[in-house]
Amino acid sequence: MSVRTRSVRGAVRRRRARPVVVVLALAVLLTAVALLVVGDFVVPLPEVIGVITGRADWKSQLFVLDIRLPRVLTGLLAGLGFGMSGAIFQSLVRNPLASPDVIGITSGASAAAATCIVALGLGGMAVSAGALAGALVTAVAIYLLSWRGGLSGQRLVLVGIGATALLSSLVSYLMTSAAVWDAQQVLIWLTGSLSGRTWTHTTTLACCLVPLALAAAALARPLNVLCLGDDLARGLGLWVERSRLALLLTGVGLAATATAAAGPVAFVALVSAPVARRLVRDGGPALAASALVGALVTLVSDFVAEHAFTPVELPVGVVTGVVGGPYLLVLLVTANRAGTSASRRGSRLLR
């Protein structure tokens, strides 16, 4: 494939992606506005605009500025992080199952958060900091255990699934040995929730996520080249292992910061990239579209969790789990059929 052909295909991909990204951004904006307007105390749209411009009464300012806006921004940023992280991992490993919540990274954050709550008696931002550290340590361990003179996508997924099982056992042990109150706090955190998020969560998440998102954007070209295969990437002059390590660190950082802020919101990282790639009809990573799909899924799920079962408010992770569970089953069945077909073709060739 010539350089000119690749550049032409890249230009075509960018032209296809732009309108999809614009539509997704508008959908995210409309959902965020709906979350600011709707609630037990309805704030009309002109009042929301008045709050932003500083010309609304104190009651509207309280509900919009102090209660709803931090929650909406935290969900938006966390969804962006999950979506972009899932796109990086799935493209890098070339496996649709290789999302942070399947290969053990969010499980590391969950085990660390449970340890902070049950064993150390911590709460608030200290739990988020512990979850961030747990995710990073788990990612390093999975990377080292997967390394055999290079990184195989299949080995990374298998090691990650094993780490998930081990860490889930640790969380179960902590839950059974915890007091009732601590067990409730752990369960709420493990489900993934945006309830009670404050400006402290939002600003901390933004300070960590924005540099990581910029790094991911800067690494988009090496990621596109790595999708062609290691041999071709080396032939094009790319430092394969250095680029892969930089992308893994960025993907882990995105997933870890999002998990620390909102908890391990299930399946957002898993579903965002495949949906985005179908929308832009692009076999590449589609980082921007994946990030926006992640934000949209998180915000829409939070809207449903907050308002669909009034007066009961569900954690957002319950809704994303209802959506993502069937998707994972379909993905596994599809992969199994593809594997069976490939096996039959191989058997025919051997006869």
Side-chain angles (χ1 to χ4, degrees), residues 127-214:
V127 176
S128 298
L132 180 63
L136 295 175
V137 170
T138 304
V140 171
I142 292 172
Y143 182 82
L144 293 177
L145 290 171
S146 305
W147 180 266
R148 292 290 185 278
L151 193 64
S152 161
Q154 186 177 5
R155 193 162 51 234
L156 180 71
V157 172
L158 291 176
V159 171
I161 291 174
T164 300
L166 180 65
L167 293 166
S168 297
S169 300
L170 175 60
V171 172
S172 299
Y173 168 75
L174 290 170
M175 290 279 287
T176 54
S177 62
V180 175
W181 170 256
D182 289 340
Q184 288 178 340
Q185 298 304 307
V186 172
L187 188 59
I188 292 172
W189 200 94
L190 293 179
T191 307
S193 175
L194 294 171
S195 180
R197 293 302 180 265
T198 65
W199 282 109
T200 303
H201 294 90
T202 306
T203 52
T204 304
L205 177 59
C207 290
C208 296
L209 200 69
V210 170
L212 290 166
L214 293 175

Side-chain angles (χ1 to χ4, degrees), residues 33 37 43-50:
V33 171
V37 170
V43 182
L45 184 57
E47 281 290 306
V48 173
I49 298 173

Side-chain angles (χ1 to χ4, degrees), residues 26 102 116 120 148 165 177 183 222-223 269 274 304 324 327 329:
L26 288 174
V102 174
C116 289
L120 304 178
R148 292 290 185 278
S177 62
L223 183 58
V304 173
Y327 172 79
L329 290 175

Side-chain angles (χ1 to χ4, degrees), residues 282-298:
D282 183 2
L287 287 180
S290 300
L292 289 170
V293 170
L296 185 60
V297 169
T298 305

Side-chain angles (χ1 to χ4, degrees), residues 82 86 90 96-102 267-275 324 327-328 331:
F82 282 128
Q90 291 172 356
L97 289 175
S99 73
D101 45 356
V102 174
F267 296 117
V268 175
L270 180 70
V271 304
S272 297
V275 171
Y327 172 79
L328 180 60
L331 190 65

Side-chain angles (χ1 to χ4, degrees), residues 88-94 143 146-156 219 221-234 238-252:
I88 290 174
F89 276 103
Q90 291 172 356
S91 300
L92 195 60
V93 182
R94 283 171 278 172
Y143 182 82
S146 305
W147 180 266
R148 292 290 185 278
L151 193 64
S152 161
Q154 186 177 5
R155 193 162 51 234
L156 180 71
L219 292 167
R221 185 183 173 280
L223 183 58
N224 272 312
V225 177
L226 283 171
C227 289
L228 302 174
D230 289 1
D231 293 337
L232 187 53
R234 287 192 184 92
L238 184 71
W239 289 356
V240 170
E241 295 306 332
R242 290 186 186 182
S243 301
R244 181 177 285 130
L245 180 60
L247 284 161
L248 282 174
L249 290 175
T250 305
V252 169

